Amino acid sequence: MGGRSWMYTKALVDGFAEHAQLVGICDRNAGRLKLAADRIAAAGGGDVPAYPAEQFEQMVARTKPDVVVITTGPDVTHADYACRAMELGCDVISEKPMTVSADLCRRILAARQRTGRSLRVTFNYRYSPPRSQVKRLLDAGAIGEVLSVDFTWMLDTRHGADYFRRWHRRRENSGSLLVHKATHHFDLVNWWLGDRPADVFARGRRAFYTPRTADALGLKRRGERCHGCPEAAACPFYLDLAASAGLRTLYLDCEQYDGYFRDRCVFAEEIDIWDHMALNVRYRRGALLNYMLTAHSPWEGYRIAFNGTTGRLEHQACENTYINGDGSVPGELEKGKVSITLIEQFSRPRQIEVEVGAGGHGGGDPVLLADLLHPAPPADPLNRRADHRDGTYSIMIGIAAAASIDSGEVVAIDDLLGDAPV
Ligand SMILES: NC(=O)c1ccc[n+]([C@@H]2O[C@H](COP(=O)([O-])OP(=O)(O)OC[C@H]3O[C@@H](n4cnc5c(N)ncnc54)[C@H](O)[C@@H]3O)[C@@H](O)[C@H]2O)c1
């Protein structure tokens, strides 16, 4: 019942109420559970039974859901709920990343095979019109066979910094940004290429969100968190939870129940994730991916280029920046700042007219919801519906990359998966 959950909750009680029924909600934080129940009632969803985390089994037994939607954070909590839900006879819709480690991934895959249930991972980026457009062009052979991909993703100092404030900043919770965030990006490449990754070599550093940067900014008296920090007025990374109704009610007012601070100092010593990461991936059919993720950029968005046997496809997008949970639309694409350029061999570059949709994550969120919650979803010619395999291969690149940063070696994904039933 945190920041992300409302997209599903609202859709269930509002837009899709005639097709799907919200039968119960569950969270470990009593404050957020009550807040969600109140919001659901206000949205016309009535009195939905609310269960604390330790009563998950009772909730499933009493309310008999067909599907359990997992939107918990830290990401490390997804696996346990996914396995328990499938063992209890439910299908699962999981937020990304499916999980954060090879061990937990193998556990999910085994539970899925044992129970025969389905597990979908909600890769909303696939559903946004320009990314679907790129898929259509590649599938139609616009540049022949793709031999290599060059992909740079920039998180800015507003949205990117936000991952250094809370649970994401510890690898044990999120697997690092290589898993938590890059699962979206690796999923896109896996899907665009229609291929699976074979092995990964990576390097990563944390050199921006550090005590040294804070000292250089003159922020000497910084506290554990923004709320009440003596450096609040001077710090460009100060987040005022009290100033936003969304952040205040969802987080500040609920701290009393579990001590979860949403606004920890982005320069803290305890952070153990990287803030810039570079890696190479070799795909099974041979294509090479060069990928870079930066979490301290002055602008938010990405650039990608596909080099094919008959040409090159370039795609660039500038995304709006946001703080998750503050009520703003997350990751909307900025009109006029999205481009797709097709350069066929021996020809001049051609601008392709870009389709841009409204709504969160490049217009992907509303299309995803229709696909998830409508009993007769539209046909899926682009294969956008992501299952446990897609969930697996998108995280395994990041998990292998993290292992490669630790060891300095190339890491083969099959070595991490072993004989897991993908
Ligand atoms: N697809 C997207 O674009 C997108 C965007 C944002 C977030 N997400 C994903 O959604 C998930 C939640 O992110 P968020 O920003 O809403 O986080 P959040 O911290 O705002 O909310 C997480 C919620 O989970 C609850 N929780 C924590 N541990 C629990 C447990 N063991 N049992 C029950 N409840 C528990 C917390 O109390 C909180 O209410 C993450 O996995 C994140 O990756 C996806």
Side-chain angles (χ1 to χ4, degrees), residues 37-279:
D38 292 347
R39 288 182 84 186
I40 290 164
D47 255 349
V48 173
Y51 293 84
E54 60 277 13
Q55 289 179 18
F56 176 74
E57 265 77 12
Q58 286 99 309
M59 173 176 82
V60 174
R62 280 187 210 140
T63 64
K64 298 186 174 47
D66 299 309
V67 182
V68 169
V69 184
I70 303 172
T71 62
T72 49
D75 303 329
V76 69
T77 58
H78 295 176
D80 192 42
Y81 283 112
C83 294
R84 284 155 75 195
M86 290 190 285
E87 299 287 2
L88 292 167
C90 304
D91 289 332
V92 168
I93 292 175
S94 175
E95 255 307 342
K96 48 55 58 174
M98 190 171 83
T99 186
V100 300
S101 71
D103 282 352
L104 290 172
C105 183
R106 285 196 303 266
R107 211 184 121 196
I108 293 174
L109 294 172
R112 203 212 61 84
Q113 191 189 46
R114 200 166 47 243
T115 60
R117 306 312 311 186
S118 87
L119 187 156
R120 284 181 70 174
V121 182
T122 50
F123 284 121
N124 42 358
Y125 279 81
R126 291 184 178 198
Y127 291 81
S128 88
R131 289 143 195 165
S132 290
Q133 217 179 340
V134 167
K135 171 77 173 156
R136 243 178 265 120
L137 283 160
L138 293 174
D139 282 359
I143 58 167
E145 182 194 348
V146 178
L147 301 181
S148 66
V149 183
D150 190 7
F151 197 2
T152 305
W153 199 290
M154 281 127 315
L155 297 167
D156 74 359
T157 42
R158 184 154 182 262
H159 180 219
D162 210 36
Y163 296 111
F164 295 79
R165 293 197 173 100
R166 46 186 186 137
W167 49 263
H168 314 75
R169 70 199 208 154
R170 301 282 304 171
R171 276 176 75 178
E172 66 204 8
N173 291 330
S174 65
S176 83
L177 291 175
L178 285 169
V179 178
H180 173 80
K181 189 67 195 170
T183 184
H184 274 307
H185 314 154
F186 299 141
D187 176 66
L188 281 174
V189 179
N190 296 349
W191 172 65
W192 275 325
L193 297 185
D195 200 357
R196 284 177 293 157
D199 55 35
V200 182
F201 177 76
R203 292 192 191 279
R205 282 208 310 158
R206 176 167 68 100
F208 184 80
Y209 297 104
T210 62
R212 195 162 148 255
T213 304
D215 291 345
L217 288 168
L219 306 168
K220 301 274 188 206
R221 296 169 307 137
R222 55 192 184 274
E224 179 192 4
R225 58 182 301 197
C226 295
H227 196 65
C229 179
E231 297 286 10
C235 182
F237 294 89
Y238 173 64
L239 177 68
D240 188 354
L241 289 180
S244 145
L247 295 176
R248 179 171 47 73
T249 51
L250 199 55
Y251 301 107
L252 194 58
D253 294 351
C254 294
E255 286 176 359
Q256 54 186 301
Y257 302 100
D258 59 7
Y260 166 25
F261 294 165
R262 168 75 177 74
D263 61 346
R264 290 185 187 275
C265 179
V266 299
F267 302 114
E269 207 68 72
E270 71 146 16
I271 295 169
D272 70 355
I273 61 168
W274 305 283
D275 58 29
H276 56 290
M277 293 133 275
L279 56 111

Side-chain angles (χ1 to χ4, degrees), residues 320-382:
N320 81 341
T321 176
Y322 63 100
I323 299 287
N324 196 34
D326 72 354
S328 55
V329 180
E332 236 179 350
L333 291 175
E334 290 191 19
K335 284 212 170 66
K337 293 191 181 167
V338 186
S339 66
I340 299 177
T341 311
L342 176 61
I343 315 152
E344 286 157 302
Q345 305 278 25
F346 315 112
S347 306
R348 295 187 64 76
R350 203 151 48 89
Q351 293 303 323
I352 307 286
E353 193 172 336
V354 181
E355 301 157 15
V356 178
H361 298 97
D365 284 345
V367 191
L368 166 77
L369 284 171
D371 194 38
L372 278 178
L373 303 178
H374 200 285
D380 186 26
L382 296 179

